[in-house]
Amino acid sequence: MTAARFIVFEGGEGAGKSTQSAALADYLRARGHEVLCTREPGGTPAAESIRAVLLDPANAGLDDRAEALLFAAARGDHAARVIRPALERGEIVISDRYLDSSVAYQGVARGLGAERVAELSLWATGGLVPDLTIVLDVDPALGLARVVGPDRLESEPLEWHARVRQGFLDIAAAAPDRYLVLDGSRPAEDLAVEIAVAVSALVGDA
Ligand code: TYD
């Protein structure tokens, strides 16, 4: 069964994205779909190397524009070498974070400008946008409490993470047909069911 679709999970720290990505992949595979699970920053050897630079606390003080360019560079390689080929094979791609993370973190929270940062990633990826983005919305105080051993970005103050959260909510509100916003503090099992229903409709299983 083939139904090429690009599905992304977004949200702040500790929102439960990786749990829900894995649950959705299991659900779709059990229904006969080919699924590729991936994540950002990362997904290719070069992008994983860039990830290490971006998350290393030793790079505290990395220039904001340099940070935005590195995320976009990693995304460009990921889109060209992993996501597009999988979609061309007819697979369902599930990515833990993608373009909207750059818009919320670098565009909104860092103040570089949502539109400019979105354009940069659209250029980097040749305009590859998800069919559906699932935003797991949690209070950053709750999400950060779930994080063990904070990395460079997780170490930013609570107000900064509050801007990230609002960034995601504003992006989703601007294009409600391509976004599903869910309360990430709900039980994981309930969220998984709701996500499975929405994705079944998207892939034509409903
Ligand atoms: P990761 O450990 O993968 O965080 P999480 O488990 O919350 O996804 O680290 C990714 C970090 O990078 C996270 O703090 C979000 C941030 N980020 C950006 O700032 N911009 C981006 O474009 C992406 C993809 C991630």
Side-chain angles (χ1 to χ4, degrees):
M1 208 192 306
T2 58
R5 293 283 187 278
F6 182 21
I7 300 165
V8 172
F9 283 90
E10 295 282 13
E13 315 300 327
K17 293 179 283 80
S18 45
T19 304
Q20 293 303 332
S21 306
L24 179 61
D26 287 348
Y27 171 82
L28 290 169
R29 285 185 182 124
R31 303 191 72 165
H33 294 284
E34 286 294 327
V35 179
L36 181 109
C37 254
T38 186
R39 68 156 184 190
E40 291 206 351
T44 70
E48 292 289 335
S49 300
I50 295 172
R51 174 190 177 91
V53 171
L54 283 163
L55 300 187
D56 189 348
N59 290 328
L62 176 68
D63 176 70
D64 290 351
R65 289 187 176 87
E67 178 182 286
L69 289 164
L70 286 168
F71 277 114
R75 179 163 305 124
D77 197 48
H78 186 214
R81 298 171 63 195
V82 173
I83 303 174
R84 275 189 195 277
L87 293 172
E88 279 159 14
R89 292 193 300 269
E91 298 177 12
I92 297 175
V93 177
I94 300 174
S95 186
D96 184 339
R97 298 194 182 280
Y98 186 64
L99 193 150
D100 291 334
S101 279
S102 282
V103 177
Y105 283 80
Q106 281 67 53
V108 178
R110 293 271 190 240
L112 293 177
E115 275 182 30
R116 179 170 295 192
V117 169
E119 271 168 27
L120 180 66
S121 269
L122 287 169
W123 178 77
T125 61
L128 181 65
V129 292
D131 295 294
L132 176 68
T133 299
I134 298 158
V135 177
L136 296 178
D137 179 52
V138 286
D139 181 335
L142 183 78
L144 286 167
R146 292 175 177 169
V147 168
V148 187
D151 60 35
R152 192 176 62 83
L153 288 128
E154 287 157 354
S155 304
E156 292 289 344
L158 204 53
E159 312 85 72
W160 192 84
H161 289 283
R163 289 204 293 279
V164 170
R165 179 190 197 185
Q166 193 57 48
F168 282 125
L169 294 176
D170 290 345
I171 294 164
D177 48 324
R178 288 187 290 111
Y179 288 82
L180 176 64
V181 180
L182 297 173
D183 175 355
S185 67
R186 288 169 51 203
E189 301 74 28
D190 295 359
L191 288 170
V193 170
E194 195 165 336
I195 291 166
V197 169
V199 171
S200 293
L202 180 75
V203 302
D205 281 355

